[in-house]
Amino acid sequence: MTLERAATAAAEQESRQRWLSRLAKVDDAAFDAIWRQLEERLPPHRTLRHPEIGLAMVRGRTGGTGEAFNLGEMTVTRASIRFDSGTIGHGYVAGRKPERAERIALIDALFQENAALANAALPSLEAAIAGKRDDRARKAAATKVDFFTLVRGED
Amino acid sequence: MYVAVKGGEAAIDNAHAYLDETRRGDRSVPELAIAQIREQMSHAVDRVMAEGSLYDPDLAALAIKQAQGDLVEAIFLLRAYRTTLPRFGYTKPIKTNEMAVRRRVSATFKDIPGGQVLGPTFDYTHRLLDFALAADPSRPVKAVPETAEPLRPDMPRVTEFLNQEGLIETEDAPAQEDDPAKTADLTREPIDFPADRATRLQNLARGDEGFLLALGYSTQRGYGRTHPFAGEIRMGEVTVSITPDELGFEIDLGDITVTECEMVNQFQGSKTKPPQFTRGYGLVFGKTERKAMAMALVDRSLRAAEFDEQSGAPAQDEEFVLMHSDNVEASGFVQHLKLPHYVDFQSELELIRRLRKEADEQQRRDAVKEAAE
């Protein structure tokens, strides 16, 4: 593989990483909005792996920064599909969400075949995620303590 | 010894029907929905997820409904459910320094960069029953004023400040990250003593909150003092990522809520180490501050041998703590006493009757002997 091709492959992987992460993380309303836009663009496809619910062991670090330890498990759903063109899509999402996992897999394949669609969808996904995070951060900021020192002693 | 006894099927069926009816309660009162439990009983949900060692708010809410609010029973239900699922893999260690913080306080420094952020806390409430909650279910909920400036996304760790002066022990990740399958995992292997810190932390993270709270409290009252300060407590959302085999690169799965507590403890120093602060760590699923604090206290206590400070206190006894922290095991063993022990008890009964008879006979013989003398 030439350097140029390796760089392209790395960039492709990075975008795929980005959309798969955002599609898993975004709230239901924002996901449904994206899905409605993309659903009719799906080419013929078949299921490669039916949505399957399983576990991921969540790990933490001693003191937040030290050696890894097993904190506890979480539920995860995964699914895989294949377009008749041969493109394979995978979907992973936290929780028990078979429909969401399958739809992520379909969108994953669609975005691999059509980077422009991905580029069009990513900003709204990212805005929805950032908006939710921002809301919480503003509420938390309202509970930040402003210390003031009382005047003490005699003059 | 248990003996299979036939019979009682009808009684058991009817008992279960009675349980169902009791769960539903008065039918003129609307039935609880899972979403209501998840949203409005979130501390109960969080406790069940933490001790059930399975993060899934909907399942935890269902378990609470099924168990009629008996949280230890709900935890048992969650643990049983997880055994039916395949394991897809291990997540990357979560980055609590990147947490979207909703609460973050320190008892060691007033002016910490990022500030003291109270978040949705019970602290500073007067613990007076709020009858308004009972009177008017449609009363308006107080709105949180949203500030112009959101919190900074990279809340620095309080222990880092102490670290800058080298006054506290550091927690460094190994240069080469080990294969996650090599980290002790209590869901795969039973506990082995002496246990490493990873095993202890996993055990404590899923341990009974009441048990850990009592142990932590005991260290404060003098049974193995550790001179703790709450260096930092933070609660909020962290992203969980995994590298699926079929992809070969890391992707995010979503966010989970966790509470982290770093205790800063005193240490006198030794021949090889200068005096410095030591650390106890607590990390728990959900909004579980009391548990995270207790966990950090007990984690530090269990390091007694490492610092040569053993005093025989219960919280320092690794085997005592780790073997009794699990409420599913504890509840199972205590409650198994309800199961039929008819044959066991028969033999005890026979034995005590025989002993009594022998004692009586001996007494009679002694009396006869005395009278004859």
Side-chain angles (χ1 to χ4, degrees), chain B residues 19 35 61 63 73 77 84 98 148-149 164 166 182 191 194 208 211 237 248 254 270 296 310 320 330 335 339 366 371:
Chain B
L19 178 71
E73 182 73 19
L77 291 172
T84 65
E98 292 175 12
E149 269 305 293
Q164 283 161 10
K182 282 187 186 147
I191 208 159
D208 183 80
F211 181 69
E237 282 65 45
S270 70
Q310 282 143 305
F320 177 78
Q335 295 210 65
L339 297 177
D366 288 350

Side-chain angles (χ1 to χ4, degrees), chain B residues 188-231:
Chain B
R188 298 266 159 109
E189 301 273 336
I191 208 159
D192 200 13
F193 295 102
D196 60 13
R197 192 143 174 231
T199 306
R200 299 199 301 245
L201 287 172
Q202 185 183 10
N203 176 286
L204 298 178
R206 55 194 250 147
D208 183 80
E209 177 175 321
F211 181 69
L212 298 188
L213 182 66
L215 280 174
Y217 181 42
S218 74
T219 68
Q220 290 180 289
R221 291 196 62 260
Y223 291 85
R225 280 191 200 283
T226 59
H227 307 277
F229 292 92

Side-chain angles (χ1 to χ4, degrees), chain B residues 53 84 312 324 338:
Chain B
S53 202
T84 65
H324 300 117
K338 294 182 292 195

Side-chain angles (χ1 to χ4, degrees), chain A residues 13 17 21 25 49 55-57 59 61-63 65 70-71 73 75 92 94 96 136-138 141-143 145, chain B residues 55-56 82 86-89 91 94 116 118-119 145 147-148 171 177 184 197 202 239 246 250 252-253 255:
Chain A
Q13 178 181 310
Q17 206 168 6
S21 297
K25 217 169 166 179
R49 177 163 61 196
L55 301 168
M57 175 55 91
R59 298 191 299 151
R61 285 192 187 281
T62 309
T65 51
N70 293 313
L71 175 62
E73 287 164 311
T75 50
Y92 271 81
R96 290 160 307 119
R136 282 188 175 153
R138 279 177 205 282
T143 70
V145 181
Chain B
Y55 196 98
D56 188 315
R82 76 153 283 283
R87 169 84 68 84
F88 292 166
T91 74
I94 54 173
Q116 305 271 0
L118 302 181
T147 55
E171 294 282 7
E177 202 63 72
R197 192 143 174 231
Q202 185 183 10
T239 299
E246 63 272 37
E250 193 179 318
D252 297 344
L253 294 172
D255 285 345

